[in-house]
Amino acid sequence: MRLSDLKPGETGVITKILGHGAFRKRVMEMGFVKGREVTMILNAPLQDPVKYSLMGYEVSLRRAEAQLIETVPVEEWEKHIEDKLHIDIETGEPDGSSVSKDKIINIALVGNPNCGKTSLFNIVSGAHEHVGNYAGVTVGAKAGTMKYKGYLFNVVDLPGTYSLSAYSPEELYVMRYLREETPDIIVNVVVASNLERNLYLTSELIDMNRSMVIALNMYDELEKSKSVLEYEQLGKMLGVPVVPTKAYSGWGIDKLLDTIIEVYELKSPDTRHIHIKMRPEVEDGVRTLVDSFKQDHTLSPKFSPRYLAIKMLEKDPEVERMLKDYSNYKIWCDIRDKANKKIEERLGDDANAIIASEKYGFIQGALAETFQNGEESSEKSTKIIDTFVTNKLFGFPIFLLVMWLMFWTTFQIGSYPMEWIESFVSWLSSEIGEYMADGPFKDLLLDGIIGGVGGVIVFLPNILILYAFISFMEDSGYMARVAFIMDKLMHKMGLHGKSFIPLVMGFGCNVPAIMSTRIIESQSSRLITILINPFISCSARIPIYVLLCGAFFPHYGAWVFTGLYVLGIIVAVLTAKMLRKFWFKADETPFVMELPPYRIPTAKATIRNMWSKAKQYLQKMGGIILVASVIIWALSYFPHYGIDDVPQNFYEKTVAEMPESTLDSYSQDELAEIIANEYQQENSIIGNIGKFVQPVMEPMDFGWKTCCSLLAGCAAKEVVVSTLGVLYVGDDDAELLADRLNTPSKTTGIPPFTPAIAIAFMVFVLLYFPCIASVVAVVKETGSWKYGLFTILYNTLLAWILSFISYRISLLVF
Ligand code: GDP
Ligand code: MG
């Protein structure tokens, strides 16, 4: 019977994992090993993937993958349990790698995804790194420091990994980090409520033989479930001190730091090196390899030979890469092949499977002696919520409702604080306008800084609300469910359920979203997800939509908004399909993703997250947007012309084109000033640039000032609005930018924007050149400037075409 044959509620015992390579290894690391009970919980709304529970946690598999796992009913299994679990602990020599007695301790946080490493890191180092209740939130290593009892701790937060093998980019990263940086102490963070799976990584770290402390995090969940763990006893068995912590509140951190110092100073009574003994066939192979390694004195001592031997038997590509330049590599390969052959012949399974099940056997044995399961309270509520959220009928409507609520709150609730900031900005500029003496400095302050930065800062509340939503979805665990219910649809686009998370994050900002694609194991799915991410409308584009919708579509702005977001999504979907068809070959990566229990985000964490976003936004204001506004202002101010510099023929030409209304309502002197202003702008540096580009945009009737704002928007999309603010100055400085875009120009009588132009403009802004930071992120994450170039050219070309089409359609409608 295959795992996929189980009906909801049925339980089976695993007898064999079929399939090959990466999938097999990954599912075994996740706990799908021989003898393990698995219960089928439910199908995703579209019947695929399927949610299972094992070892007290939940995981989803695609139906096709579940087909590769052989099971038997529980009763049948119990009849012939042949292999008894055995643990044998053998003491080796302690590792002396941290005897350097200075007072600086380098620490690396290593653990499964979503175990609270970043929360711990934030507490220890006072940082505000991003946490979230799903796998793969942290990408790359983050470093921080703290002083404690006269020691300086250098703490590094690493991405989450299930094991130390070269399966996903993150695992590779962690493994290389541990090899190259050789931290003094590894703090292995494990989830107290899900020990069995978490300790698998611990067992690999034990093989590595490094100084280590285990942080038993989320101890609150263990307490709540009334389970009992004799963690001190467990620490003695593992040879690694265990300290319970609650990273979200800081409980237990002092004890953890004390223990780290103890281990570092070699004073910890619990620290000793153990060998997790495996079956004789495996141990034979390991021993022969270790002996051979020990004879080679050129071999780097950074990894323990036992670890290398085990990984060699597992055919870990990274370890093979590491060793292949040694002259003895051929000999080692021969030893390995012989050992593997023996293992397969005698045990009927390959080394990978045997090693994984031996390790789980060791863990089970250790837990059997120290752990007593209580009632499972958080699991129950998770099950209840999941019956609705991943339900066939309600799953999608609930998701759409959440999305709609997110945008509605962002724009409706956000509009109140926005008005307050808006009136403050106009109050400020009218005060300055009144009390400051005229001159270039006043112009700079009013038109450049307040016109530019002030125009953008009003959107701070909207952006904070949006981030609060995204952060809640991440922290609660809902995001992982979204990936679960979306997998089938994403599969149709040639992508993966996990690709959906970066897309939702893209509503906040495309840069971290692009980085978060590292949770996707398949390289081609990851590249596609990166390339389509810029089409997801980020929060920096919100100011533009709010501005133009407010000015031109006051009554059905929400529809235009939604339409733009939907257009972005459609373009993303079609692009993904196209890329899959013409550029990347199809691939079938397994959908293995942990579904963590729901957790109620703490107010502290949410506020910290919002505060760090607000800070980032304000820094962006004070940085790139301020600088861009000043540059744009300077480019429009120089070379500077006075009223007397305006040539006679320009004056006459402009007057001839002027509408009656202007001629009637202004005196001769005022007219001269208006015309001088126009002359200044048109002949300034930016005027020349804008007029140079403008012909390209002529089919959409974008004015040259509008073109300038698009050029400037390449730096950051908010700059589009600030540039419009600087270039379309009104005569009354307190006047709102939205009104200025709407009123006919005094010199030509034509308003710079009409509803149709506004639509074409928003479509263009949605799709064209993503900001420089996104392009850099694309290049960095794909490792090739070619993809960056593709993004720039493809997106801009597509933007032009769709903008043109939407302009022509809008002209018919309005
Ligand atoms: P990482 O992926 O290992 O970096 O984990 P994060 O630090 O991002 O945390 C994952 C989730 O667990 C977040 O939602 C945290 O708020 C939550 N969390 C962290 N520590 C604790 C804890 O001690 N108890 C509980 N109940 N939740 C925690
Ligand atoms: Mg993290």
Side-chain angles (χ1 to χ4, degrees):
M1 190 170 70
R2 297 291 161 89
L3 188 58
S4 52
D5 300 330
L6 293 183
K7 308 239 157 21
E10 277 182 3
T11 302
V13 180
I14 297 173
T15 51
K16 204 173 179 65
I17 314 279
L18 308 170
H20 60 87
F23 164 71
R24 203 153 168 264
K25 185 144 174 40
R26 167 44 55 100
V27 292
M28 285 185 317
E29 284 160 10
M30 303 275 296
F32 288 85
V33 289
K34 190 171 175 180
R36 169 91 55 219
E37 285 184 18
V38 184
T39 309
M40 143 98 180
I41 305 207
L42 50 78
N43 289 311
L46 301 173
Q47 298 302 313
D48 208 9
V50 186
K51 190 162 89 168
Y52 296 96
S53 109
L54 80 161
M55 301 192 302
Y57 82 99
E58 290 178 350
V59 66
S60 72
L61 286 182
R62 284 205 185 124
R63 200 165 276 284
E65 289 138 26
Q67 222 146 24
L68 295 177
I69 299 176
E70 273 186 3
T71 59
V72 293
V74 182
E75 313 79 59
E76 202 172 306
W77 173 256
E78 279 167 355
K79 267 185 248 150
H80 54 97
I81 318 167
E82 339 92 307
D83 326 276
K84 280 263 186 238
L85 304 166
H86 60 107
I87 43 170
D88 261 324
I89 297 178
E90 189 186 83
T91 317
E93 297 122 70
D95 171 29
S97 70
S98 65
V99 201
S100 55
K101 287 277 191 242
D102 38 357
K103 295 257 171 179
I104 300 173
I105 311 183
N106 297 317
I107 298 172
L109 297 176
V110 180
N112 280 192
N114 205 32
C115 64
K117 295 176 298 300
T118 303
S119 307
L120 198 70
F121 175 79
N122 285 345
I123 293 260
V124 171
S125 66
H128 302 285
E129 287 303 337
H130 190 166
V131 297
N133 190 10
Y134 60 88
V137 180
T138 305
V139 288
K142 304 260 161 52
T145 58
M146 106 164 283
K147 279 221 170 88
Y148 180 78
K149 295 199 175 164
Y151 288 86
L152 180 72
F153 290 79
N154 288 326
V155 192
V156 172
D157 180 25
L158 292 170
T161 62
Y162 292 110
S163 76
L164 293 175
S165 46
Y167 180 63
S168 70
E170 289 151 319
E171 285 170 0
L172 200 59
Y173 185 92
V174 173
M175 192 164 145
R176 290 198 177 147
Y177 184 89
L178 293 181
R179 186 176 81 208
E180 274 148 32
E181 306 294 325
T182 50
D184 298 320
I185 307 273
I186 294 174
V187 174
N188 177 209
V189 186
V190 301
V191 179
S193 52
N194 184 5
L195 278 170
E196 218 171 322
R197 209 221 31 237
N198 276 259
L199 288 176
Y200 184 83
L201 177 64
T202 311
S203 74
E204 293 203 305
L205 290 168
I206 288 174
D207 289 339
M208 264 177 133
N209 191 11
R210 291 285 191 70
S211 298
M212 193 158 73
V213 175
I214 292 176
L216 188 65
N217 195 34
M218 303 200 190
Y219 196 63
D220 53 312
E221 289 190 349
L222 187 95
E223 288 174 334
K224 230 187 348 200
S225 70
K226 306 233 166 61
S227 304
V228 181
L229 176 71
E230 292 164 37
Y231 53 83
E232 285 174 355
Q233 187 59 27
L234 178 68
K236 286 202 176 82
M237 290 173 89
L238 299 175
V240 182
V242 178
V243 185
T245 58
K246 299 174 191 171
Y248 71 117
S249 70
W251 182 92
I253 303 300
D254 284 355
K255 177 85 201 304
L256 179 68
L257 295 174
D258 288 338
T259 311
I260 291 172
I261 295 176
E262 236 176 57
V263 172
Y264 180 73
E265 299 290 3
L266 303 180
K267 285 185 188 141
S268 164
D270 291 343
T271 300
R272 70 204 166 96
H273 177 51
I274 65 164
H275 283 176
I276 298 169
K277 273 263 256 176
M278 293 178 280
R279 297 194 194 195
E281 292 83 354
V282 183
E283 284 297 333
D284 278 352
V286 170
R287 196 169 324 113
T288 327
L289 272 172
V290 167
D291 288 344
S292 180
F293 286 153
K294 280 189 175 157
Q295 276 162 18
D296 190 332
H297 296 289
T298 55
L299 194 61
S300 152
K302 281 180 177 172
F303 272 136
S304 88
R306 185 176 169 83
Y307 172 78
L308 292 180
I310 294 174
K311 284 289 160 194
M312 189 83 186
L313 288 181
E314 287 180 351
K315 294 200 173 154
D316 185 274
E318 176 66 8
V319 166
E320 285 180 355
R321 208 171 309 139
M322 236 175 91
L323 296 178
K324 75 169 188 300
D325 292 332
Y326 288 91
S327 52
N328 289 338
Y329 184 63
K330 266 233 129 55
I331 305 177
W332 298 334
C333 283
D334 287 345
I335 301 177
R336 175 198 63 196
D337 293 342
K338 248 192 242 148
N340 276 351
K341 208 167 139 234
K342 203 164 85 188
I343 291 170
E344 246 162 78
E345 273 168 11
R346 299 236 185 118
L347 304 175
D349 219 336
D350 67 3
N352 262 327
I354 301 289
I355 292 173
S357 79
E358 289 290 283
K359 290 208 161 143
Y360 271 114
F362 168 75
I363 295 164
Q364 277 180 337
L367 288 179
E369 291 186 29
T370 53
F371 183 71
Q372 261 177 335
N373 213 348
E375 21 181 289
E376 298 140 22
S377 63
S378 87
E379 271 172 38
K380 237 179 251 156
S381 49
T382 291
K383 268 191 194 118
I384 295 170
I385 301 175
D386 266 354
T387 45
F388 290 102
V389 164
T390 57
N391 182 279
K392 205 190 297 189
L393 283 178
F394 305 130
F396 285 107
I398 290 178
F399 172 65
L400 292 178
L401 193 73
V402 170
M403 285 284 124
W404 181 82
L405 193 69
M406 173 165 104
F407 289 116
W408 185 83
T409 326
T410 305
F411 304 119
Q412 291 302 317
I413 310 288
S415 67
Y416 300 103
M418 182 175 137
E419 276 166 24
W420 307 331
I421 303 181
E422 225 163 32
S423 41
F424 172 76
V425 170
S426 29
W427 171 84
L428 190 70
S429 67
S430 67
E431 287 297 290
I432 293 177
E434 209 166 301
Y435 294 110
M436 232 172 111
D438 283 348
F441 188 65
K442 179 179 172 182
D443 287 349
L444 169 69
L445 204 63
L446 273 185
D447 301 337
I449 296 177
I450 296 183
V453 176
V456 181
I457 203 153
V458 299
F459 302 101
L460 180 63
N462 307 79
I463 285 162
L464 286 186
I465 294 174
L466 184 71
Y467 272 113
F469 258 89
I470 294 180
S471 143
F472 184 85
M473 282 171 43
E474 287 177 346
D475 272 353
S476 63
Y478 183 60
M479 204 70 123
R481 270 69 186 183
V482 171
F484 175 70
I485 63 174
M486 283 296 170
D487 182 58
K488 183 127 181 195
L489 287 182
M490 298 304 281
H491 209 53
K492 288 224 168 79
M493 294 160 54
L495 289 178
H496 192 277
K498 278 188 198 172
S499 298
F500 201 72
I501 294 179
L503 296 183
V504 175
M505 282 177 74
F507 289 131
C509 175
N510 297 133
V511 175
I514 288 170
M515 298 205 291
S516 76
T517 56
R518 294 196 194 171
I519 55 177
I520 303 164
E521 284 110 1
S522 142
Q523 182 65 5
S524 63
S525 290
R526 189 167 161 240
L527 285 174
I528 294 177
T529 313
I530 290 174
L531 292 178
I532 63 176
N533 209 290
F535 295 125
I536 301 301
S537 192
C538 68
S539 63
R541 283 169 254 195
I542 290 175
I544 304 161
Y545 305 155
V546 174
L547 177 74
L548 291 175
C549 286
F552 296 96
F553 312 101
H555 302 303
Y556 40 100
W559 290 105
V560 177
F561 250 112
T562 317
L564 285 164
Y565 277 94
V566 171
L567 176 68
I569 293 167
I570 293 175
V571 170
V573 169
L574 295 180
T575 303
K577 283 202 149 185
M578 187 198 76
L579 288 174
R580 184 56 92 191
K581 190 145 185 209
F582 296 113
W583 200 341
F584 302 104
K585 277 198 288 314
D587 85 324
E588 296 290 325
T589 359
F591 181 75
V592 190
M593 176 157 166
E594 195 185 342
L595 295 172
Y598 286 103
R599 302 196 167 99
I600 299 172
T602 55
K604 202 165 140 193
T606 310
I607 290 170
R608 187 155 51 190
N609 199 348
M610 280 183 56
W611 166 237
S612 82
K613 286 292 172 307
K615 214 167 72 180
Q616 271 171 22
Y617 196 68
L618 293 175
Q619 276 167 351
K620 208 169 166 188
M621 294 292 114
I624 188 160
I625 293 175
L626 177 67
V627 171
S629 301
V630 171
I631 291 177
I632 300 284
W633 171 83
L635 292 179
S636 71
Y637 195 80
F638 298 107
H640 198 65
Y641 303 95
I643 291 186
D644 302 332
D645 300 327
V646 180
Q648 190 63 25
N649 56 351
F650 184 85
Y651 188 90
E652 280 160 10
K653 196 177 118 246
T654 317
V655 170
E657 284 171 359
M658 266 189 184
E660 291 283 318
S661 56
T662 315
L663 291 174
D664 292 347
S665 47
Y666 294 97
S667 70
Q668 205 62 28
D669 284 352
E670 282 167 335
L671 278 183
E673 200 172 312
I674 291 170
I675 292 170
N677 236 331
E678 187 63 25
Y679 184 76
Q680 165 65 36
Q681 287 203 330
E682 280 192 27
N683 291 285
S684 63
I685 302 173
I686 200 160
N688 285 309
I689 301 175
K691 281 193 282 188
F692 178 73
V693 184
Q694 198 264 343
V696 183
M697 301 309 232
E698 184 64 42
M700 281 86 86
D701 288 333
F702 291 174
W704 66 263
K705 294 181 188 176
T706 311
C707 295
C708 288
S709 75
L710 290 174
L711 282 179
C714 295
K717 296 263 162 125
E718 291 99 336
V719 180
V720 172
V721 170
S722 58
T723 307
L724 289 176
V726 173
L727 292 181
Y728 288 113
V729 277
D731 46 0
D732 173 2
D733 287 307
E735 207 181 326
L736 289 178
L737 176 57
D739 298 330
R740 281 183 252 151
L741 297 181
N742 217 342
T743 27
S745 141
K746 290 191 200 83
T747 48
T748 60
I750 305 166
F753 278 83
T754 62
I757 296 182
I759 293 275
F761 185 70
M762 287 188 283
V763 169
F764 194 84
V765 167
L766 168 70
L767 302 174
Y768 87 120
F769 189 107
C771 66
I772 288 179
S774 308
V775 175
V776 171
V778 169
V779 172
K780 248 169 67 186
E781 291 300 316
T782 56
S784 158
W785 56 268
K786 271 188 248 154
Y787 292 106
L789 199 66
F790 170 81
T791 303
I792 296 173
L793 297 178
Y794 174 79
N795 294 20
T796 309
L797 186 71
L798 202 67
W800 194 95
I801 295 170
L802 290 181
S803 169
F804 179 73
I805 294 173
S806 51
Y807 183 54
R808 292 294 142 184
I809 294 175
S810 308
L811 278 183
L812 300 177
V813 177
F814 301 112

